[in-house]
Amino acid sequence: WVVAGTGRAVEYVAGRRWVLSATGFWQAHSGAAQCYSDLVAEWSGLAAGGDAWDLYSGVGVFAARLAERTGPTGFVHAVESARSAVADGNAALADLPWLDLRADRTERWVRTHRDTPDVVVLDPPRAGAGRDVVTAVTAANPSRVVHIGCDPASFARDVALYAEAGYGLAALRAFDAFPATHHVECVGLLER
C-alpha cells in the first residue's frame, strides 16, 4: 500500500535515471547496481558494433551499459519476465534504439533465439539459471559469459554446467552485498 508519495522510486546508475515501481526489484545494497554494472561493462569485452544478450535483465541496468559499449552499430537483446520492470526500463532506455528490452521468460526466449552474441550477461533469481538456460546460452557460442548469482550454491552449479560445455571461469569476484547474512553476490567471467 502506498501511504504517501507516488509509489515510484528514483535510482541512478552511470548517470542514467530510472523511475520504477517501489515494489519492483532493485539491488539491496545502495552501491551494488553501479558496482556490478561497472564490472559487467568491463568484463563484457564489447566494442562498437558488438552484439549482446542480457538475460533476467530487470529494468535494463546492465543492458544500458552494454548498449553504451556497442553503440548504434551494435545490438543488445534484453529479456525480463516482469512486465512492470520492462515498462520502467523502456522508459529509461528510450534513447538507445539499438537496445531491445522485452517481456518474456528467459527459458523460452533463449530456446528460440538463434544469433551468436559476443557476450551473454545473466543475473538469474536465487535458484540460478539451471541446465536448460545454460545449455541454450552455450549453444549460442558467445565468446564470453558474465554470470551473476546471489546464492553461491546455485552459482557453483551453473558454473559446473558451463564447464561441461567447455567454458572456464576466467575471473571471479564476490561481494558481501547482504551484510549479516550468508548470501554472497558472485560475478563470474566465463570464456571458451
Side-chain angles (χ1 to χ4, degrees):
W1 296 354
V2 177
V3 176
T6 64
R8 309 287 287 164
V10 177
E11 297 286 348
Y12 292 88
V13 178
R16 185 171 294 274
R17 182 177 190 254
W18 273 268
V19 179
L20 39 111
S21 170
T23 60
F25 175 81
W26 193 260
Q27 295 292 339
H29 189 284
S30 62
Q34 182 69 54
C35 177
Y36 303 158
S37 72
D38 287 345
L39 190 56
V40 164
E42 177 187 340
W43 282 2
S44 73
L46 282 173
D51 291 313
W53 294 357
D54 181 8
L55 307 177
Y56 309 98
S57 65
V59 296
V61 171
F62 301 147
R65 300 301 300 275
L66 299 171
E68 290 165 0
R69 292 184 67 101
T70 69
T73 59
F75 201 80
V76 177
H77 292 282
V79 181
E80 168 58 42
S81 63
R83 292 187 183 285
S84 61
V86 171
D88 292 340
N90 279 324
L93 304 169
D95 63 316
L96 301 171
W98 59 95
L99 190 165
D100 178 42
L101 172 57
R102 65 180 53 228
D104 201 348
R105 293 198 47 82
T106 294
E107 298 80 358
R108 178 177 31 240
W109 189 88
V110 295
R111 286 192 310 265
T112 60
H113 219 73
R114 298 292 176 226
D115 66 323
T116 299
D118 299 305
V119 65
V120 175
V121 175
L122 301 89
D123 188 4
R126 192 167 308 282
R131 182 172 296 280
D132 290 346
V133 171
V134 171
T135 298
V137 166
T138 58
N141 199 31
S143 58
R144 291 176 166 217
V145 175
V146 180
H147 190 104
I148 302 154
C150 60
D151 179 64
S154 60
F155 178 85
R157 181 210 57 221
D158 288 346
V159 168
L161 294 171
Y162 288 112
E164 289 176 11
Y167 283 83
L169 195 57
L172 175 66
R173 297 276 309 270
F175 298 91
D176 185 12
F178 311 95
T181 74
H182 67 282
H183 299 291
V184 176
E185 192 85 30
C186 300
V187 183
L189 171 62
L190 297 118
E191 298 176 328
R192 269 203 170 132

